[in-house]
Amino acid sequence: MIILHEYPISMVDYYGFRKYSKTLQPGFKVPCRTTTRKDIMKRYEDEKDNILALLRKVKSRISLTTDMWIASNQRKGYMAVTSHFIDNAWKLQSRIIRFLYVPAPHNVEVLADALKQCIQSWNLDLRLASITVDNCTTNDAMMDIIKDYFPYGSLLLDGEFLHMHCCAHILNLIVQDGLNAVVYDGVNRIRENVGFWTGSDKRVQKFEGVSNQLASGYKRKLTLDCKIRWNSTYEMLCVAISYKEVFAVLSGRDKLYKNPPTPEDWEKVGKICELLEVFAKLTLDFSASKTPTANIYFSKICKLKITLSTWLSSPYDYVVKMEEVMLEKYKKYWDSMNGLMGVATILDPRYKMALIRFYFAKLFDKYKYDREVSRISNLLRRLVMIMSLGVRVLKVRGNYLPI
């Protein structure tokens, strides 16, 4: 119960909890906090052994995702490492294998050392497929250090695909750049207004009261966004737009409310939110926990570029400007499609090479079309060749692993 609901361990010493437990079962002796802490650590070790046993049985390579998280109350940095693999029953599995405190400074060497220790402690040195991280210079430098750590021949294609960029984070960068280019002031103004009317219970009640007086009613609560997560900004704007009349009415009723969004802000944000719906759906697909296999990414990324290209014909100058900024960021990361996405698409029996050719014909000219199709097909041949040589094995710690 304490683990599941993240209750404080000290609750076992609370008088009310002990009395409640005794009422349920007088013969049950509630353990002290020291015993409870030992029980939790024992449970942790048991679960770790179970995951180790599972990983030893898995015949496929294992991919990792990692990110840093800063606790808002303590301002301490923690690294989370999650493993992703296909088990022997062909089911997609994910397990958190490390969540550790990383002391400051969070420079390249410190982060690389923490990640290397995690890989070593789980014996993944010779079984790693890829590591997915957010797109920043620190992570790029960290992956350069990590790549040199692995034994020769242990990585897939000598580490060509060890460093993978997070698709959801790329989407976030594309949208944030687009919004900042055309409606930065408008978004900030709406954000300040939402923050003002959600700042206290009294203001929330006043906003709700005015909303109920109007035809719209108060159906969805105003929610302040997280600036580094574009989809939360999108949600905030969509909700705020539905109450634009309420903001206008309140600007004449509350003396402290002095900077309401302008009609131009509402017009631009409303039009852009209609266009960004495709990004919202794509972010949900990329952020799913049960179904994000590589074969679904290729077509969605290609459709995104086609959609962006259609915005060039928009009669609104700010939409065209936003599209140009977004397309520039898109080309930085996805102009040359990641080869493994293409391979996964070919291996999907619904698509094979037909889908590759279909989208590449829409995205590239004749010269680049031939080059990109050959690049993907040659990569698949290289991977098949490596798998066919899998009879060569390396003995490590009593285990025979394919190299």
Side-chain angles (χ1 to χ4, degrees):
M1 182 184 68
I2 290 173
I3 296 171
L4 183 64
H5 300 293
E6 300 179 2
Y7 292 145
I9 297 178
S10 58
M11 74 171 295
V12 297
D13 291 334
Y14 295 167
Y15 170 77
F17 179 72
R18 287 181 170 271
K19 184 177 180 181
Y20 173 74
S21 301
K22 188 175 182 180
T23 303
L24 294 176
Q25 173 51 267
F28 174 67
K29 183 180 179 182
V30 179
C32 65
R33 71 174 70 183
T34 302
T35 302
T36 303
R37 184 179 290 107
K38 290 180 180 179
D39 291 343
I40 291 174
M41 295 308 299
K42 177 64 168 56
R43 178 68 179 272
Y44 165 78
E45 294 297 337
D46 291 342
E47 292 294 336
K48 183 177 180 180
D49 290 340
N50 292 337
I51 297 177
L52 278 169
L54 174 62
L55 293 178
R56 279 195 294 267
K57 294 177 182 178
V58 171
K59 297 178 181 178
S60 68
R61 284 181 176 264
I62 297 168
S63 296
L64 301 179
T65 55
T66 181
D67 198 6
M68 287 294 297
W69 173 71
I70 306 298
S72 57
N73 57 337
Q74 297 178 322
R75 306 305 302 170
K76 291 184 178 181
Y78 296 86
M79 174 181 282
V81 182
T82 308
S83 62
H84 309 270
F85 54 92
I86 305 294
D87 65 17
N88 296 339
W90 286 92
K91 292 183 179 180
L92 181 64
Q93 301 284 354
S94 295
R95 297 289 189 278
I96 295 177
I97 60 174
R98 199 71 185 271
F99 188 89
L100 72 156
Y101 165 63
V102 180
H106 299 150
N107 54 35
V108 175
E109 290 76 16
V110 171
L111 297 179
D113 186 62
L115 185 55
K116 282 193 295 185
Q117 289 182 17
C118 175
I119 294 171
Q120 286 178 334
S121 64
W122 288 86
N123 300 320
L124 302 178
D125 314 45
L126 302 173
R127 306 178 60 193
L128 207 57
S130 65
I131 302 176
T132 302
V133 293
D134 284 346
N135 307 282
C136 66
T137 54
T138 301
N139 283 337
D140 292 343
M142 178 185 72
M143 292 306 300
D144 289 337
I145 296 175
I146 289 290
K147 187 175 180 180
D148 295 334
Y149 155 74
F150 293 94
Y152 176 77
S154 64
L155 295 176
L156 196 64
L157 295 179
D158 295 327
E160 186 174 338
F161 297 101
L162 177 66
H163 182 189
M164 302 295 287
H165 295 284
C166 175
C167 287
H169 189 245
I170 293 174
L171 278 181
N172 184 65
L173 295 177
I174 292 173
V175 178
Q176 294 284 11
D177 281 12
L179 289 176
N180 290 337
V182 294
V183 288
Y184 179 80
D185 292 336
V187 170
N188 268 349
R189 198 158 20 245
I190 293 174
R191 181 182 290 119
E192 290 172 0
N193 279 259
V194 172
F196 179 87
W197 289 111
T198 57
S200 68
D201 290 342
K202 186 176 180 180
R203 289 177 182 173
V204 171
Q205 291 172 5
K206 188 172 185 178
F207 189 94
E208 183 178 352
V210 173
S211 178
N212 287 327
Q213 291 173 5
L214 301 176
S216 60
Y218 193 68
K219 299 175 182 178
R220 301 173 65 187
K221 290 185 178 181
L222 291 175
T223 305
L224 198 61
D225 69 328
C226 173
K227 293 183 180 181
I228 61 173
R229 290 176 53 238
W230 90 266
N231 52 328
S232 70
T233 302
Y234 171 78
E235 182 68 20
M236 177 192 72
L237 295 176
C238 288
V239 174
I241 288 171
S242 63
Y243 296 122
K244 61 182 180 180
E245 294 180 357
V246 180
F247 286 103
V249 171
L250 286 170
S251 64
R253 296 187 182 181
D254 195 312
K255 295 181 180 180
L256 296 177
Y257 182 43
K258 299 179 180 180
N259 189 27
T262 65
E264 184 183 5
D265 292 336
W266 291 123
E267 180 186 356
K268 284 186 176 181
V269 169
K271 182 61 180 177
I272 287 173
C273 281
E274 291 178 14
L275 298 174
L276 291 182
E277 186 177 358
V278 63
F279 283 91
K281 292 179 179 178
L282 201 55
T283 300
L284 290 177
D285 291 339
F286 284 180
S287 303
S289 58
K290 300 294 184 181
T291 58
T293 49
N295 58 304
I296 69 172
Y297 281 53
F298 176 82
S299 61
K300 294 181 184 295
I301 291 174
C302 292
K303 287 178 183 177
L304 178 61
K305 186 174 182 180
I306 294 172
T307 301
L308 287 175
S309 299
T310 62
W311 294 358
L312 284 171
S313 58
S314 172
Y316 303 98
D317 293 339
Y318 57 88
V319 172
V320 175
K321 182 179 179 181
M322 183 180 73
E323 187 277 340
E324 291 173 348
V325 173
M326 287 181 165
L327 204 55
E328 188 66 28
K329 181 68 74 172
Y330 179 101
K331 290 178 178 179
K332 178 180 179 180
Y333 292 106
W334 287 332
D335 191 40
S336 182
M337 188 64 62
N338 184 285
L340 290 184
M341 287 189 190
V343 168
T345 303
I346 297 171
L347 295 178
D348 191 322
R350 300 170 296 175
Y351 305 140
K352 302 185 179 180
M353 279 297 297
L355 195 68
I356 300 288
R357 294 192 177 98
F358 173 79
Y359 277 117
F360 281 0
K362 290 180 174 292
L363 299 176
F364 305 125
D365 57 31
K366 183 63 171 66
Y367 170 73
K368 194 168 184 180
Y369 166 83
D370 293 334
R371 188 179 66 186
E372 289 296 306
V373 170
S374 297
R375 181 175 67 89
I376 300 297
S377 59
N378 289 337
L379 172 60
L380 177 57
R381 291 189 182 93
R382 290 166 62 197
L383 289 170
V384 171
M385 187 177 297
I386 289 177
M387 298 307 171
S388 66
L389 297 176
V391 292
R392 297 187 298 124
V393 295
L394 183 66
K395 185 176 182 181
V396 178
R397 299 172 187 168
N399 296 319
Y400 289 90
L401 301 174
I403 60 172

